[in-house]
Each structure stands twice: as structure tokens, then as C-alpha cells.
Amino acid sequence: MNMKRQLFNLTTATSILIASAFISCKKYTCECTAYNQNTPESGGYSNYTVKKKDKTKLCTDKSTQPDNNGNYTTCIIK
């Protein structure tokens, strides 16, 4: 009986660790679009993959405010 309990605990712990690994490694697509305040159309587009853990730092924090020429970039998580 004790052996069955140990096997159950080991299986449960392993399942939790595997599920945590998959969740923490989830990836998102970051889409960045360049704009200019003087033109209505976008000036460029790029996308790349970011991990869930770093998604804000690596994506949305890359958005910029308009510079002296009116150019700016908007990045969002998809």
C-alpha cells in the first residue's frame, strides 16, 4: 500500500512539473507597426515570437513615442 502511495505522489509531482514547463514556455507573437503622424498609412510591419515570461519587456515596451519627424512604433501581443 505504501508503495502505491509513493508512486501516486511521484506521478502527481511529475505531471505538475510537466504542465508548469509547458505553461511557462508558451510563446506569443509580437507585432510591431511603424507610423508617421503626417501620413495615414503605416510605414512598415514586423513580427517575432516572444516567451510568456518576457512578453511585456520584449514586445510592448518596444513601442515608441513620436520623434521630431513624427515617426513612432506601436508593438502589441497577438
Side-chain angles (χ1 to χ4, degrees), residues 24-53:
S24 66
C25 291
K26 186 173 181 179
K27 295 183 179 181
Y28 293 87
T29 299
C30 178
E31 294 183 356
C32 294
T33 308
Y35 295 98
N36 185 291
Q37 290 179 324
N38 302 320
T39 57
E41 299 176 9
S42 65
Y45 171 82
S46 66
N47 64 2
Y48 55 95
T49 303
V50 294
K51 291 183 181 179
K52 179 182 180 180
K53 181 174 105 175

Side-chain angles (χ1 to χ4, degrees), residues 4 7 13 17 20-21 23 26 34 43 49 52 54 64 66-68 70 77:
K4 286 183 180 181
L7 182 60
L17 287 173
S20 297
I23 291 169
K26 186 173 181 179
T49 303
K52 179 182 180 180
D54 300 326
T64 62
D67 63 11
N68 292 336
I77 301 280

Side-chain angles (χ1 to χ4, degrees), residues 51-70:
K51 291 183 181 179
K52 179 182 180 180
K53 181 174 105 175
D54 300 326
K55 70 182 181 183
T56 301
K57 180 181 173 187
L58 296 175
C59 185
T60 53
D61 285 356
K62 302 292 183 189
S63 296
T64 62
Q65 297 296 319
D67 63 11
N68 292 336
N69 298 320

